[in-house]
Amino acid sequence: MRPDGTGLPLGSDVIVIGGGFHGTSSALHLSRRGAKVTLLEAEYCARHASGVNAGGVRSLGRHYAEVPLARASLGLWHSLPELIGKDLGDDAAFVASGMLQIAETPQELDKLRRRVAELNALGFTHEVIVDAQQVREIAPRLAHHVVGGIWVKDDGHAVPYRAVTAFRHAAQRLGAQFHEATPAETIERVGSQWHVTTPRGVFTAPWLVNAAGAWSGDFAAQAGDVVPMKPGGLMLMITQRVPHFVDPVLSAAGRPLSFKQFANGTVLIGGGLRCAADVVRRHGEIDFLKLSSSAQTVTDLFPHLAGINVVRAWAGVEAFMPDEIPVISLSRHAPQLVHAFGFSAHGFELGPIGGQIVSELVFDGRSTLPIAPFAVDRFAPAAVH
């Protein structure tokens, strides 16, 4: 059955549910390999986690299973114009500013040293221990109680909405069809086709990509892949403009923090600050008490910021997995279905490589990167033993 709206496509090779970063990246990579792609977004692209996160392009501090993906994705970030098309002229405002995770006590620094040693043993050398003097050379205004940290020189930051939009435009130029305000309601395998029911009709395609963020768990369950994903909210706040004082993105080993200053002088503060979220009404609930705790962390580390104004705070609806790594996997119960969700607090940097992996699973049946830890059935009873 074809969708009932004027001008809608008759059908596609792949339907992508979700217009976040991993959905739009999937649309781009699939289109680059010649697939006819339809993307369905319930609201507008980058509405939730992909558009309201801190924009950290971070390979620092990754779960060990994610490190190969994060480093491969970082390579794509550094060649973004080539990936999305130089003539489109959008680099997502990516800045390779470097990223610094600070230690405030000798115990925290010892913990960071152990992590770097373990990474080195695995063959990864991108995280480097720096001492107190080197920290102050990287960020001179940091409080003097900081004793050291981890430095990754080629990490950085970008503007989330611009990144998602750049991938969207690149995919559309290759023929991908994007339908916003078109929420997927049910999915069903009928013969050799997936049928995705929406208020605008039924979309059909032999392949389906589930990249619906906080709403992905329901679609996975409809296909028989039950996962313990939980929706939740993450908060951010931004300050008034202040004179330039720091270049790299900062995090802390001992307490929640994600901190960067933009070229216009504003300071973005986050760090995995969780809050309640309403998935039915599709919004997060700002918790000002938690935000005040985060603001205190910032003024502890940068005392000269005491007294500046926070001008805006917001929250996105995100998808959390119990083990804090995503699902990137073929379905175990349904044919020609790829899951890509559960990226909360760590999915933005993985966006470029996430779409590439999805395209490999669709076209090749396997990924060139190690994705076994992200299997959709890893929480099933059989996977525990």
Side-chain angles (χ1 to χ4, degrees), residues 176-218:
Q177 299 292 314
F178 279 58
H179 300 284
E180 297 182 310
T182 307
E185 295 172 336
T186 62
I187 62 172
E188 182 182 11
R189 186 74 178 177
V190 180
S192 62
Q193 298 283 310
W194 281 101
H195 287 203
V196 180
T197 303
T198 79
R200 303 179 66 193
V202 179
F203 290 76
T204 63
W207 277 90
L208 180 63
V209 175
N210 174 21
W215 296 268
S216 293
D218 178 54

Side-chain angles (χ1 to χ4, degrees), residues 133-148:
Q133 177 59 36
Q134 291 170 306
V135 162
R136 273 179 276 284
E137 291 172 359
I138 296 169
R141 298 299 298 270
L142 261 174
H144 283 269
H145 72 275
V146 174
V147 295

Side-chain angles (χ1 to χ4, degrees), residues 120-152:
N120 290 166
L122 293 171
F124 297 105
T125 58
H126 59 288
E127 295 190 7
V128 177
I129 290 290
V130 289
D131 61 22
Q133 177 59 36
Q134 291 170 306
V135 162
R136 273 179 276 284
E137 291 172 359
I138 296 169
R141 298 299 298 270
L142 261 174
H144 283 269
H145 72 275
V146 174
V147 295
I150 293 176
W151 171 242
V152 177

Side-chain angles (χ1 to χ4, degrees), residues 249-323:
V249 181
L250 271 72
S251 63
R255 43 183 169 172
L257 177 67
S258 174
F259 180 92
K260 66 176 68 70
Q261 184 179 29
F262 292 112
N264 67 359
T266 58
V267 177
L268 184 67
I269 303 168
L273 299 172
R274 294 185 64 165
C275 64
D278 187 330
V279 293
V280 176
R281 297 170 60 194
R282 293 176 172 269
H283 73 89
E285 302 281 354
I286 295 292
D287 184 329
F288 288 98
L289 187 60
K290 287 185 178 177
L291 286 180
S292 67
S293 174
S294 188
Q296 182 63 56
T297 297
V298 170
T299 55
D300 288 347
L301 294 171
F302 293 97
H304 74 283
L305 293 180
I308 67 169
N309 295 314
V310 171
V311 297
R312 189 162 65 94
W314 63 93
V317 181
E318 312 223 3
F320 294 87
M321 299 300 295
D323 54 4

Side-chain angles (χ1 to χ4, degrees), residues 210-255:
N210 174 21
W215 296 268
S216 293
D218 178 54
F219 295 117
Q222 290 184 41
D225 297 316
V226 178
V227 293
M229 189 206 78
K230 299 291 185 184
L234 281 179
M235 301 180 292
L236 290 167
M237 56 184 164
I238 198 160
T239 73
Q240 68 183 81
R241 298 181 182 189
V242 295
H244 173 262
F245 67 95
V246 66
D247 288 318
V249 181
L250 271 72
S251 63
R255 43 183 169 172

Side-chain angles (χ1 to χ4, degrees), residues 14 16 18 20-35 37 39 50 69-70 72-74 76-77 80 83-84 167-168 171 209-211 326-329 338-341 343 347-364 366-369 371:
V14 187
V16 177
F21 202 2
H22 286 269
T24 55
S25 178
S26 297
L28 172 58
H29 284 280
L30 288 163
S31 298
R32 282 166 57 92
R33 295 191 64 172
V37 178
L39 185 145
S50 296
L69 280 61
S73 200
L74 191 64
L76 295 179
W77 277 103
L80 213 54
L83 177 61
I84 63 176
F167 275 68
R168 171 187 179 163
V209 175
N210 174 21
V327 172
I328 312 173
S329 170
V338 179
H339 298 296
F341 61 83
F343 292 95
F348 182 68
E349 192 269 351
L350 296 175
I353 201 66
Q356 177 180 309
I357 293 171
V358 167
S359 71
E360 291 173 347
L361 292 175
V362 169
F363 277 92
D364 310 322
R366 59 184 295 275
S367 171
T368 54
L369 288 163
I371 61 170

